[in-house]
C-alpha cells in the first residue's frame, strides 16, 4: 500500500515541478549573492587563519608569482593560486613577527629593478612598468613584499643554527600541530 502511494507521488508532475522551482530558486539566489559580493567572505577572496584576505592583497601575491617566473612560460592557474596563497600566508607570518621593510629600501630595490644598464631613467621605467602591466605603487608593494620575504627566509635559515631547545620553544608556538625533534650530530 505504502509503495503504491509512493510510486504515484514520484510520478506526479506537480511534485517534480515544485522541486524544480526550489532548486532553480536556490541556484538563482546563490548566484545573485556571489555577484553582489555577499559570498560570506567579508569582501575577501578567501580566509587565512580565520581572517579574510582582501582581493587587492591577493592580487599583489598573484603578480609576485607571475613576475617570479618567465613571462612566456605557461602555468596552470591552480599552481599560481597555490603559490599566491603561500605568499599570503608567509606575509601574515612576517607581519606577526614584526618583519618590515623601510621606504628607502623599497625605493632602492624598485630603482635597481627598473634601471637599464645600471642607470635609472623615468621614461625607461615607465615603459618597463607598462610592458609588465603594472603601476608604480603596485610594483613598489611587490618590492616591499620581496624584501620582507627574503628577511623571513633569512630568519628561518638562521633558526637552523640555534640550539635544539630554542628551536623547540619557537616551534611549539606555531598554530599548526606537528612534532619536530632536533637531532644532534657529533663528529
Amino acid at each position: 500500500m505504502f509503495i503504491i502511494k509512493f510510486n504515484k507521488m514520484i510520478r506526479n508532475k506537480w511534485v517534480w515541478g515544485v522541486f524544480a522551482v526550489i532548486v532553480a530558486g536556490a541556484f538563482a539566489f546563490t548566484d545573485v549573492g556571489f555577484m553582489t559580493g555577499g559570498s560570506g567572505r567579508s569582501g575577501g577572496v578567501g580566509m587565512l587563519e580565520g581572517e579574510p584576505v582582501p582581493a587587492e592583497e591577493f592580487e599583489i601575491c598573484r603578480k609576485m608569482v607571475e613576475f617570479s617566473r618567465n613571462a612566456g612560460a605557461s602555468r596552470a592557474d591552480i599552481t599560481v593560486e597555490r603559490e599566491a596563497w603561500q605568499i599570503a600566508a608567509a606575509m601574515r607570518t612576517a607581519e606577526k613577527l614584526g618583519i618590515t621593510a623601510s621606504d628607502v629600501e623599497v625605493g632602492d630595490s624598485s630603482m635597481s629593478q627598473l634601471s637599464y644598464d645600471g642607470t635609472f631613467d623615468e621614461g625607461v621605467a615607465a615603459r618597463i612598468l607598462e610592458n609588465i602591466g603594472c603601476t608604480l605603487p603596485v610594483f613598489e608593494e611587490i618590492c616591499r613584499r620581496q624584501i620582507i620575504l627574503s628577511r623571513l627566509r633569512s630568519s628561518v635559515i638562521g633558526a637552523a643554527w640555534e640550539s635544539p631547545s630554542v628551536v623547540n620553544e619557537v616551534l611549539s608556538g606555531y598554530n599548526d600541530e606537528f612534532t619536530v625533534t632536533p637531532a644532534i650530530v657529533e663528529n
Side-chain angles (χ1 to χ4, degrees):
M1 180 76 175
F2 183 70
I3 293 174
I4 294 171
K5 286 188 177 192
F6 183 72
N7 192 10
K8 284 182 182 179
M9 186 179 73
I10 287 178
R11 290 183 182 192
N12 190 342
K13 63 182 175 184
W14 291 105
V15 171
W16 286 108
V18 170
F19 182 69
V21 168
I22 291 172
V23 169
F27 278 112
F29 288 120
T30 302
D31 192 38
V32 169
F34 280 119
M35 288 172 29
T36 59
S39 61
R41 294 182 183 164
S42 305
V45 293
M47 302 291 278
L48 191 61
E49 297 178 343
E51 298 177 14
V53 176
E56 300 83 25
E57 179 181 339
F58 189 73
E59 189 59 33
I60 290 174
C61 294
R62 279 184 62 90
K63 284 192 180 288
M64 287 179 69
V65 172
E66 292 168 0
F67 290 159
S68 68
R69 306 289 183 233
N70 292 334
S74 65
R75 306 186 61 206
D77 282 341
I78 190 75
T79 306
V80 173
E81 293 285 325
R82 184 180 305 122
E83 290 183 26
W85 280 110
Q86 289 172 350
I87 290 173
M91 290 304 298
R92 292 274 172 103
T93 302
E95 182 181 315
K96 286 181 182 177
L97 295 174
I99 300 173
T100 60
S102 69
D103 292 338
V104 174
E105 292 170 321
V106 172
D108 290 345
S109 175
S110 61
M111 283 182 61
S112 69
Q113 292 185 35
L114 294 174
S115 62
Y116 181 73
D117 287 338
T119 59
F120 180 77
D121 181 19
E122 288 185 24
V124 172
R127 283 193 300 269
I128 291 172
L129 289 173
E130 184 180 324
N131 286 342
I132 61 176
C134 189
T135 62
L136 184 60
V138 171
F139 186 76
E140 287 178 343
E141 183 61 27
I142 289 171
C143 290
R144 179 180 310 278
R145 290 173 184 230
Q146 287 173 340
I147 292 169
I148 290 171
L149 288 177
S150 68
R151 288 186 178 162
L152 182 63
R153 273 187 222 104
S154 297
S155 67
V156 169
I157 291 170
W161 296 105
E162 295 291 332
S163 68
S165 62
V166 172
V167 172
N168 279 337
E169 183 178 317
V170 170
L171 290 177
S172 66
Y174 288 155
N175 290 335
D176 293 338
E177 292 183 24
F178 54 90
T179 303
V180 175
T181 305
I184 300 174
V185 179
E186 298 179 9
N187 264 339

